[in-house]
Amino acid sequence: MKIMLLKNLIMVAAFLSFGIAQAQDVSGTVSDASGPLPGASVVIKGTTTGAQTDFDGNYAISGVPEDATLIFSYIGYASQEVPVNGQSTLNITLQEDAQALDEVVIIGYGSTTIKDATGSVTAVKAEDFNGGVIASPEQLIQGKSAGVQISQSSGDLWCRG
C-alpha cells in the first residue's frame, strides 16, 4: 500500500515538474528610437494572456511556453511578432508606422490626423456599414461606434458621444 502511494506521488510530481519546465517567465523592455514606450501591449500569440508596459517600458509575463510567439504593439507603430525560443528576456524596439500616423480623421468640427486628435477616435470602415435598405447616410454607421447616438429631428443631424 505504501509503495503504491509513493509511486502515485512520484508520478504527480513528475507531471508537475514537466509542466513547470515548459512554461517560463519572460520580461524585457519595449522602446522606440527615442526611448521607452509606456502602455505598449505584449500578448502571447493565439491567447488573451499578456501584459502592458509600465512607465519605463518594462513588462513581465508569467507562464509563457518556450515555443510561444509574443506580439508587441503600440498605437502609431508597426506590430512585431517575436518567437520566445526559450529566452527569458526580450528587449524590443518598435518602428513607427507612418501610414497609421498620417490617417485623416473626420471629426464633428473639422478634420485632423490621428496623431493630432485630442479626443477619442473610432474608425468605421466600408465593410462595417449596415447592409439592407438604407434611406440616409447616417443609417450606414448607426450602432457601429460605442457611445455614439445618431438622431435626426427636422432637417438637422445630431451625433452625440
Side-chain angles (χ1 to χ4, degrees):
M1 182 74 166
K2 289 182 183 181
I3 293 175
M4 185 65 128
L5 183 61
L6 184 59
K7 284 181 182 179
N8 287 339
L9 227 68
I10 290 173
M11 286 294 269
V12 169
F15 282 122
L16 288 176
S17 64
F18 181 70
I20 293 171
Q22 289 191 355
Q24 62 183 12
D25 294 341
V26 177
S27 61
T29 304
V30 179
S31 60
D32 68 353
S34 61
L37 291 174
S41 295
V42 184
V43 178
I44 300 172
K45 186 175 183 177
T47 70
T48 57
T49 305
Q52 215 171 20
T53 58
D54 64 11
F55 184 74
D56 296 322
N58 299 317
Y59 71 93
I61 303 176
S62 300
V64 179
E66 291 179 1
D67 62 344
T69 299
L70 296 180
I71 301 173
F72 297 86
S73 60
Y74 192 74
I75 296 173
Y77 291 81
S79 294
Q80 192 172 344
E81 294 186 13
V82 179
V84 174
N85 293 332
Q87 301 176 63
S88 61
T89 303
L90 290 172
N91 296 321
I92 303 299
T93 302
L94 295 179
Q95 302 298 319
E96 285 186 11
D97 186 3
Q99 181 180 359
L101 290 176
D102 293 332
E103 187 175 321
V104 174
V105 178
I106 306 293
I107 53 178
Y109 47 88
S111 65
T112 186
T113 60
I114 286 180
K115 66 180 179 179
D116 295 330
T118 57
S120 90
V121 175
T122 300
V124 179
K125 297 184 169 101
E127 305 89 58
D128 301 330
F129 288 164
N130 291 326
V133 179
I134 303 296
S136 61
E138 65 272 8
Q139 289 179 349
L140 288 172
I141 60 172
Q142 178 70 40
K144 295 299 176 186
S145 183
V148 175
Q149 182 180 24
I150 300 174
S151 60
Q152 186 172 4
S153 58
S154 70
D156 297 334
L157 177 67
W158 291 90
C159 293
R160 276 185 275 187

